[in-house]
């Protein structure tokens, strides 16, 4: 049985939520392996919209096991609020269908406060974070002062963890003119939330290993996109975790042999939320039109997304970095009715042509897109479920993208609805 990793091949917001939900019908287990509640996955099922941030998308399907792996940073209060919201929409969430890794680090209110304070101090140079404490929580994890989920069940250990954590954070807060955190108040908050979180806690790596040995199909659900990866993205305008396919193994406690197929979710144009370089960005009516038709607003932040032409250079780079087996091309229908389309095939930087986006911040900023112009189509592709439903020029556009990114289209999404998918190759069939 194949195990599939789903990752974003651009700057996030590619439509991973719908694709993961669609694939989860074929899976037994769905696991998140990085990020936190800065992620935003929107599912539309029978006209009902679900907005998920931390809970794996597979949880909306009955009889599926959802897991939050050790690579995720967890805000326990945000998680409980999300669980309550989803339950209010008629979805059952219990310790039987949701597990949280005991070694996952916690996001605390002090992390969020630090995140916001830093962004405010940076002013125009801000990174564009969601302000939810993700980065500071990962910093504490790496610095070995984090409080982890399993610590909630050991009050005596909490005293030691809190003391070490506040030795660092209170020094920072004094330097920024902020009030210090009271250790006993923080402990009281954690003791209060512990009985609500601990029933969901489990040994995720062990349960995943058992699932693999029993022939279960595992779907690894990524958040954000490759160009936001802490190592391979447009640094420093990136997230604080590795979002690439290799992290699926590390962030869930599995070996690399657990990954059989890497599916790169890829939007038929390009969007980005927040600051940072964006070579194919359109600051004109075309860009605004894409945003309006595509309802391009961040699921997590509500911020309008920056929109631009499809960047084949970035996606090809993502294909290589992730070892992408095939892509799921989303939002093709948003391009309906456009007479002319452009695809970025290279960059001109300081008079030199590049076939990749360099790591240099200056070169990224100076990158000018080299475009290939293609014919658009007047017909509607919305709701198409087979190649026969697609205009010939739309198929030509898809085939050219495949050539440029050096990866085949495995799935094609033609609307937000769950079943509006053209299946070319089932990732779980490998």
């Amino acid at each position: 049985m194949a195990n599939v990793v789903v990752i974003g091949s651009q700057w996030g917001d590619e439509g991973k939520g719908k694709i993961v939900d669609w694939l989860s019908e074929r899976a037994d287990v769905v696991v998140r392996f990085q990020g936190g509640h800065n992620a935003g996955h929107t599912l539309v099922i029978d006209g009902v919209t679900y907005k998920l941030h931390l809970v794996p998308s597979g949880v909306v399907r009955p009889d599926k096991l959802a897991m939050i792996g050790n690579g995720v940073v967890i805000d326990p209060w945000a998680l409980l609020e999300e669980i309550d919201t989803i339950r209010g929409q008629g979805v059952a969430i219990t310790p039987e269908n949701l597990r949280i890794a005991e070694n996952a680090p916690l996001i605390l209110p002090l992390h969020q406060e630090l995140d916001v304070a830093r962004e405010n101090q940076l002013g125009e140079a801000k990174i564009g974070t969601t302000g939810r404490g993700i980065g500071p929580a990962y910093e504490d994890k790496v610095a070995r002062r984090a409080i982890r989920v399993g610590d909630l069940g050991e009050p005596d250990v909490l005293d030691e963890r809190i003391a070490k954590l506040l030795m660092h954070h209170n020094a920072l807060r004094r330097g920024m003119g902020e009030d210090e955190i009271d250790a006993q108040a923080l402990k009281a908050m954690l003791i209060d939330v512990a009985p609500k979180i601990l029933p969901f806690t489990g040994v995720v790596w062990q349960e995943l290993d058992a699932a693999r040995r029993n022939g279960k199909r595992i779907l690894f659900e990524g958040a954000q996109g490759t160009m936001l990866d802490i190592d391979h993205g447009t640094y420093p305008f990136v997230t604080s975790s590795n979002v690439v396919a290799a992290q699926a193994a590390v962030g869930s406690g599995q070996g690399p042999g657990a990954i059989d197929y890497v599916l790169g979710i890829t939007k038929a144009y390009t969007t980005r939320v927040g600051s940072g370089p964006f070579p194919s960005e359109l600051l004109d009516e075309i860009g605004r039109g894409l945003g309006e038709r595509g309802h391009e607003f961040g699921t997590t932040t509500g911020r309008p997304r920056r929109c631009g032409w499809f960047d084949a250079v970035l996606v090809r780079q993502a294909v290589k970095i992730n070892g992408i087996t095939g892509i799921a091309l989303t939002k093709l229908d948003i391009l309906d009715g456009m007479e002319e389309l452009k695809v970025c095939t290279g960059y001109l930087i300081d008079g030199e042509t590049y076939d990749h986006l360099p790591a240099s911040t200056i070169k990224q900023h100076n990158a000018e897109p080299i475009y290939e112009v293609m014919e658009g189509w007047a017909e509607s592709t919305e709701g198409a479920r087979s190649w026969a439903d697609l205009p010939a020029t739309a198929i030509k556009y898809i085939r050219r993208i495949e050539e440029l990114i050096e990866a085949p289209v495995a799935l094609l999404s033609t609307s937000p609805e769950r079943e509006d998918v053209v299946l070319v190759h089932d990732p779980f069939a490998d």
Side-chain angles (χ1 to χ4, degrees):
M1 294 289 185
N3 297 320
V4 178
V5 177
V6 171
I7 53 93
S9 67
Q10 294 154 308
W11 276 293
D13 306 310
E14 301 95 348
K16 291 182 291 297
K18 172 193 169 170
I19 300 300
V20 169
D21 171 61
W22 190 86
L23 286 170
S24 65
E25 184 176 21
R26 295 157 171 78
D28 301 295
V29 184
V30 183
V31 56
R32 271 283 306 274
F33 58 85
Q34 52 78 217
H37 64 308
N38 55 340
H41 293 170
T42 301
L43 315 180
V44 180
I45 303 168
D46 297 328
V48 179
T49 300
Y50 302 89
K51 293 183 181 293
L52 307 179
H53 301 280
L54 194 54
V55 177
S57 298
V59 79
V60 299
R61 287 192 182 271
D63 304 321
K64 307 295 179 183
L65 178 58
M67 292 187 165
I68 300 176
N70 57 275
V72 178
V73 284
I74 299 171
D75 181 326
W77 300 277
L79 175 60
L80 292 171
E81 182 179 350
E82 186 172 335
I83 289 173
D84 285 344
T85 299
I86 300 169
R87 282 173 173 165
Q89 293 181 283
V91 177
I93 301 181
T94 70
E96 280 65 52
N97 69 347
L98 176 64
R99 299 276 204 289
I100 305 171
E102 61 183 357
N103 52 339
L106 294 178
I107 300 175
L108 306 176
L110 58 85
H111 292 127
Q112 184 174 355
E113 292 166 8
L114 178 58
D115 203 357
V116 172
R118 282 175 171 171
E119 282 286 87
N120 290 338
Q121 287 190 349
L122 286 171
E124 292 296 319
K126 65 182 180 181
I127 302 299
T129 75
T130 59
R132 299 197 170 196
I134 311 298
Y138 274 118
E139 289 177 39
D140 285 342
K141 172 185 176 178
V142 174
R144 295 165 293 192
R145 56 175 172 259
I147 296 173
R148 305 198 296 181
V149 173
D151 296 334
L152 294 175
E154 300 178 339
D156 292 339
V157 172
L158 275 181
D159 288 324
E160 178 186 342
R161 294 278 195 273
I162 289 171
K164 188 173 183 180
L165 184 70
L166 294 188
M167 182 174 65
H168 171 78
H169 278 273
N170 279 339
L172 284 178
R173 295 173 73 92
R174 286 194 297 271
M176 293 189 294
E178 300 286 339
D179 293 338
E180 293 187 20
I181 301 293
D182 179 73
Q184 291 307 310
L186 177 56
K187 183 178 180 181
M189 290 178 64
L190 294 172
I191 293 296
D192 177 69
V193 81
K196 304 170 188 176
I197 292 293
L198 287 174
F200 294 97
T201 304
V203 187
V204 163
W205 67 265
Q206 195 172 57
E207 292 191 52
L208 283 173
D209 181 69
R212 287 177 56 211
R213 291 177 181 275
N214 291 326
K216 303 292 186 181
R217 289 174 168 175
I218 302 170
L219 184 60
F220 297 90
E221 176 184 5
Q224 289 88 42
T226 300
M227 291 303 141
L228 292 176
D229 184 270
I230 187 68
D231 286 307
H232 300 288
T234 48
Y235 190 91
F237 302 98
V238 293
T239 194
S240 298
S241 63
N242 286 113
V243 309
V244 292
Q247 178 64 19
V250 178
S252 62
Q254 303 299 290
I259 300 171
D260 300 301
Y261 192 103
V262 179
L263 183 68
I265 315 302
T266 307
K267 195 177 288 186
Y269 49 101
T270 310
T271 61
R272 174 166 201 171
V273 170
S275 307
F278 186 170
S280 67
E281 183 174 12
L282 294 169
L283 301 173
D284 56 14
E285 288 300 321
I286 296 175
R288 285 188 285 275
L290 288 172
E292 290 169 3
R293 292 194 303 277
H295 304 290
E296 296 295 352
F297 296 92
T299 303
T300 298
T301 62
R303 291 180 291 184
R305 296 173 185 143
R306 301 154 63 189
C307 298
W309 294 119
F310 185 83
D311 192 330
V313 182
L314 283 186
V315 177
R316 183 173 62 243
Q317 198 160 321
V319 167
K320 307 303 182 184
I321 291 169
N322 289 284
I324 289 174
T325 318
I327 69 166
L329 191 65
T330 65
K331 289 201 167 184
L332 182 71
D333 55 302
I334 305 304
L335 302 180
D336 292 353
M338 300 184 71
E339 294 183 7
E340 181 180 272
L341 302 172
K342 293 182 180 180
V343 175
C344 177
T345 60
Y347 304 124
L348 188 64
I349 305 175
D350 302 326
E352 185 177 348
T353 302
Y354 284 76
D355 64 355
H356 68 284
L357 189 63
S360 163
T361 303
I362 294 175
K363 289 181 178 178
Q364 288 178 2
H365 177 76
N366 293 336
E368 298 178 13
I370 299 171
Y371 286 123
E372 179 176 313
V373 180
M374 298 188 66
E375 182 184 357
W377 54 89
E379 305 94 324
S380 173
T381 63
E382 185 176 1
R385 298 186 183 182
S386 72
W387 286 112
D389 297 331
L390 299 174
T393 44
I395 294 175
K396 185 177 180 181
Y397 180 75
I398 295 166
R399 294 305 185 205
R400 183 56 179 148
I401 283 177
E402 290 179 318
E403 291 175 356
L404 291 169
I405 67 173
E406 300 178 16
V409 170
L411 298 169
L412 181 67
S413 173
T414 56
S415 93
E417 287 292 339
R418 173 188 274 178
E419 300 304 328
D420 288 342
V421 171
V422 177
L423 176 61
V424 182
H425 177 81
D426 185 349
F428 281 117
D430 283 25

